[in-house]
Amino acid sequence: MNEQHVALAGSTRPAMAGATRLRDAHPEDPVKVTVTLRGQVAPADQIPDERRQDAEETKAVLERYGLTVDEVRLEPGSIVASGPVAAMNAAFKTNLGIYHSPQHGEFRGREGELHIPAGLEGKVTGVFGLDQRQVARRREAGGSGFRGALTPDDLERQYNFPAGDGAGQKIAIAEFGGGLFDDDLRAFCAAHNLPAPQVRIVPLDFDPPRSMQDVKQLPPAEQKFAVEATGEVMMDVEIVAGLCPAAEIPVYFAVFDQRGWIEVLDQAIADKPVTLSVSWGLSEDDPNWSQTALNQINKRLQGAADLGITVCVASGDDGSGDQIPDGRAHVDFPSSSPFVLSVGGTMIDPSDREVSWWEAPGHRTRTGGGASGGGVSTKFDRPDYQKHINVDSLNPGSIRGRVVPDIAALAGSPGYDLIFQGAPFPAGGTSASAPLWASLIARINALLPAERQQRFFTPFLYDTGTNGRPLGEVACRDIAAAHDNASHPPAVGYPVKPGYDAVTGWGVPDGVALLKGLH
């Protein structure tokens, strides 16, 4: 087909560091993509005519190239299409190949800029799924549980949760790999005298394993990652089930490429949970993100916030370096989006004080370590709700960007009391503090008057009440002393200080005080 194409702005992807192109992708191999359309997320009853027309025109063009349109989502503005490699190469003027990296094995990828048929210029804003490189990394990981880990009852006392069990609330969880072991979830609930939770698996082109037997059926190269990721999934689900046992808990399973993020957020926009817990991310400056992906993910996060969904995102476990050892400070995305609740980490020290989380060398290593992610975004301007926050970037000449995190909760020692593979499994990280906050917000939401329910939570923390003080200052317990979040490199971290800071935000929650402040 001899049709003029134009460059798709923001679609450039460099070669993945450490990866080698082995061969061209086979022309007949199947590919599924999500194509995003211009405009903001719109409620189902307010879809503009322009969105409908763009969708019809895009569908027609894709079909001309031999692609099958599987789904049209007008609310977020997405079209899911599938077809062979040859048709994708022709439609988007790319050259898909099979790459190998020591960390991720073989994957389909591309380099350079995408081009779209000229008739779609200004209508199509992104094409996701051609490149399968990983852009999701887990924020890994003295109570009465195993080895002093905190049980659900301990957590409720530690953070003064209001009464309730999450009945009538929907708490969604985003996962990019791994599985959900039913036996472990049942054992966890039995150990803590909890009813069986209403967990619903939502596979988004990824069917998760449900037992170790299922994992053993995977190719050997995939088994190690599946086990590690499943441990993290079980942590998310068990924390929510322990704190909101009567809630509906949909768990979205997607692949960990850029398309997976679009799919998860489109599903959340359709489901409209009270909260969505996200324990995954990657430095916003990581070259494996395309600018188009940052834009389209952020657009969907804004749409979710407009619908009253509070997306609780882990701020990271690697301090101010965020696994980019270039001597500069970095923050994690999507934690750095203005449209999420960014959740940092604390730990309980030997004197039983809750302090900011920092274990040498301030980032994760094979033998331990970690620190609360936090800092100032280089990609997103400081939102209006943070205009009075006086935190400057450690990077000379940087923009006055979004500051993270907003708040914090337990991430380090002594960990959360969990069960995995039939055994006690104390774990933590900001991966754990995110679902804790998602559960707390749902518990609070259930007790609010109907007209005050389902509201994007983050701006309220910065609002000044009748007493002249921000809600975050009044209803959170300040973490005012301990180590900064330096990781080496960079050698300098953001300081922990009285009031709001870029390590633990406003601090850790007093759930009853938050409920009172939101009434």
Side-chain angles (χ1 to χ4, degrees), residues 195-252:
Q198 305 173 54
V199 174
R200 175 168 57 92
I201 300 299
V202 183
L204 304 174
D205 294 323
F206 178 83
D207 290 317
R210 304 300 296 274
S211 66
M212 273 303 298
Q213 189 61 39
D214 288 346
V215 170
K216 291 177 181 177
Q217 303 305 310
L218 297 172
E222 298 178 21
Q223 291 183 18
K224 182 175 184 293
F225 174 79
V227 171
E228 291 174 351
T230 298
E232 302 290 340
V233 172
M234 296 309 303
M235 177 168 66
D236 290 342
V237 175
E238 289 178 11
I239 289 172
V240 175
L243 296 170
C244 292
E248 179 185 351
I249 309 172
V251 186
Y252 306 148

Side-chain angles (χ1 to χ4, degrees), residues 5-11 33-39 50-51 53-62 67 69 76-81 91-92 114-128 130 292 295-296 299-300:
H5 281 60
V6 296
L8 178 59
S11 64
V33 295
T34 300
V35 178
T36 58
L37 304 175
R38 62 180 167 180
E50 179 184 69
R51 171 73 51 80
Q53 184 175 345
D54 286 350
E56 290 175 5
E57 293 177 5
T58 302
K59 179 177 182 292
V61 171
L62 295 176
L67 301 177
V69 172
S78 304
I79 295 177
V80 179
F92 305 116
L114 292 179
H115 291 74
I116 56 175
L120 300 182
E121 185 176 15
K123 302 179 179 69
V124 166
T125 55
V127 180
F128 304 98
L130 297 170
T292 303
N295 293 344
Q296 291 303 311
K299 183 180 91 170
R300 282 159 175 76

